[in-house]
Amino acid sequence: MKRLLALAAAAFISLPLTPAIAQEAQPGAPGAGDPYFPDQGNGGYDAGHYDLTLDYDPGPDRLAGVARISARATQALSRFDLDLVSTLSVRSVTLDGRPATFSQSGSELVITPPSTLPAGRGFSVLVQYDGKPEHVVDPDGSVDGWIRTNDGVFNANEPQGAMTWYPGNHHMTDKATYRFTVTVPRSRVAVANGDLVSKVTKGERTTYVWNSREPMASYLATVSIGKFQLTDTRVGGYHVITAVDSKLADSATNFAERHAPVLDYFSSLFGPYPFSSTGGIADDAPEVGYALESQSRPVYPHVPSESLLAHELAHQWFGDSVTPTLWRDIWLNEGFATYAQWLWADKQGTRTVQSSFDAAYARAADDEFWQTPPADPGGPANLFHDPVYDRGAMTLHALRSTVGDESFFKILRTWASEHKYGNADTAAFIALSERVSGKQLDALFDAWLFKPGKPSL
Ligand code: TRP
Ligand code: ZN
């Protein structure tokens, strides 16, 4: 039906005085088409900005939110979805100020605008919701999303936690800018991505406003809450904002200062640091078991080691600024961040990159490890498994050994600059590597990224 209409429209194009035939409005797809998480993201529109107003009280554990999302229709829309878990109740939805019909089913909030939206139309959707937020459990068994701690929330959203606390287009291909207005009891601090705009206490409650001006994927957003010591300083030319759980204060005295040397080194290798501010959130949440490279402000479940700090800061270039197109391409994040850990250890004199490679490569050929090719990890349960990290990093080292240092670092810098604030996939990385080096690299990438088995050297 859609195709026939398009053909009819094309046939009329050369005829003057023919009224334009409007594209027939259709529902937007309920997913973005990622086989690892089919319901994640949505079709038919492109989100540009999220203005989130959140009120959270850890006592009753209740979140009340107002999300104002500016978006543009990419097709004529009769209705469209946002991703939000149905344990949070939606109270009202308006579209450009007019009431819209809505329903919640699974993790889809289905919205029917008062009148259909033509392709190309910009619109603003406002969602009021509340409830007791609950984290999700990922296919690999880890927790993800709005994760309660003893004093607040550890908020890490890769790969699917964003839907546990705000409605949106939660596939990583739809990046947007953000503003967060978060009200918490005055004994708590709310930390989000980007720059702190204001902090105002009225009576027993404090409101923090954060502005994140560079485009960001949903899984990199964070609003973490706790009894934090917040610092906002300039160190070595960087705007560094850190939040440290008061329980960790003694072991984190130089947390802010530790960022500049790592960022300086990575900037010299990868190009300029891509965000207006940096820093991190060191929470006391050992039960979480992982850190996350939240944009401009990673979250750590403890005070990070040098190596972990380097890993999450390297993600700011590889993962956050340049983001994969599908979850299957996750090695573009984890392999690169792991390689950057090796580089930082080498720079610090702890261990040479070659020795890190050798240790990883020393796994026996019949080790399970070699059965998962990093660019095709097989499913969402394997996203954060060792082959994605270590064999991903080994792939980069094998590339470096083949093309030489000059080409290798030029490839990394070009990758960061050409796809700044965008998305890119493995095929684009291979094409870039061949373009910069002038070498045919199919055999190398086939062996390291796509074929099971231990590649030979
Ligand atoms: N991307 C995180 C890192 O920097 C790791 C991560 C995110 C993770 N979500 C996870 C690990 C879930 C295990 C389970 O390494
Ligand atoms: Zn990582």
Side-chain angles (χ1 to χ4, degrees), residues 189-277:
V189 174
V191 195
N193 316 84
D195 309 330
L196 179 59
V197 176
S198 64
K199 172 193 168 186
V200 176
T201 299
K202 273 193 202 129
E204 288 310 303
R205 300 182 73 75
T206 306
T207 299
Y208 293 83
V209 178
W210 296 88
N211 189 40
S212 186
R213 69 173 99 139
E214 297 94 5
M216 174 164 78
S218 292
Y219 81 89
L220 297 168
T222 189
V223 168
S224 292
I225 297 166
K227 293 184 177 164
F228 294 135
Q229 295 182 350
L230 187 66
T231 66
D232 186 335
T233 57
R234 294 216 143 253
V235 188
Y238 302 96
H239 182 185
V240 187
I241 301 177
T242 58
V244 174
D245 192 304
S246 9
K247 286 194 188 148
L248 305 176
D250 292 347
S251 51
T253 43
N254 59 349
F255 186 40
E257 288 71 24
R258 289 170 59 200
H259 288 71
V262 185
L263 294 173
D264 279 345
Y265 186 51
F266 289 167
S267 309
S268 77
L269 299 175
F270 312 146
Y273 174 72
F275 304 115
S276 65
S277 57

Side-chain angles (χ1 to χ4, degrees), residues 52-133:
L52 304 179
T53 303
L54 306 175
D55 196 297
Y56 182 68
D57 200 334
D61 190 14
R62 191 175 166 283
L63 174 70
V66 180
R68 183 188 295 275
I69 305 164
S70 312
R72 186 169 299 281
T74 54
Q75 65 172 69
L77 279 173
S78 56
R79 60 163 214 251
F80 63 92
D81 289 9
L82 296 172
D83 301 323
L84 182 72
V85 292
S86 46
T87 41
L88 293 172
S89 304
V90 173
R91 303 296 174 184
S92 74
V93 177
T94 65
L95 202 131
D96 292 334
R98 294 157 70 201
T101 325
F102 63 91
S103 65
Q104 290 183 266
S105 106
S107 58
E108 302 296 316
L109 166 60
V110 182
I111 298 173
T112 306
S115 51
T116 61
L117 295 164
R121 168 74 57 85
F123 63 93
S124 167
V125 55
L126 189 137
V127 181
Q128 274 191 295
Y129 61 102
D130 57 56
K132 178 175 146 40

Side-chain angles (χ1 to χ4, degrees), residues 266 269-270 293 307 310-320 322-324 329-344 374-375 387-397 399 408-416 419 424-426 428-430 432-433 445 449:
F266 289 167
L269 299 175
F270 312 146
E293 64 267 26
S307 190
H311 181 100
E312 305 308 341
L313 291 180
H315 271 310
Q316 304 304 308
W317 284 263
F318 307 117
D320 296 13
V322 185
T323 307
D329 287 321
I330 191 71
W331 84 276
L332 294 168
N333 290 6
E334 303 306 347
F336 283 52
T338 302
Y339 197 66
Q341 282 176 277
W342 295 0
L343 289 163
W344 181 237
V388 169
Y389 286 69
D390 293 354
R391 186 163 161 181
M394 281 187 270
T395 301
L396 291 178
H397 195 63
L399 173 66
F408 176 71
F409 287 105
K410 190 168 174 207
I411 291 165
L412 294 189
R413 275 195 301 280
T414 310
W415 184 246
H419 302 290
D425 61 13
T426 300
F429 184 72
I430 294 172
L432 173 68
S433 300
F445 284 118
L449 289 179

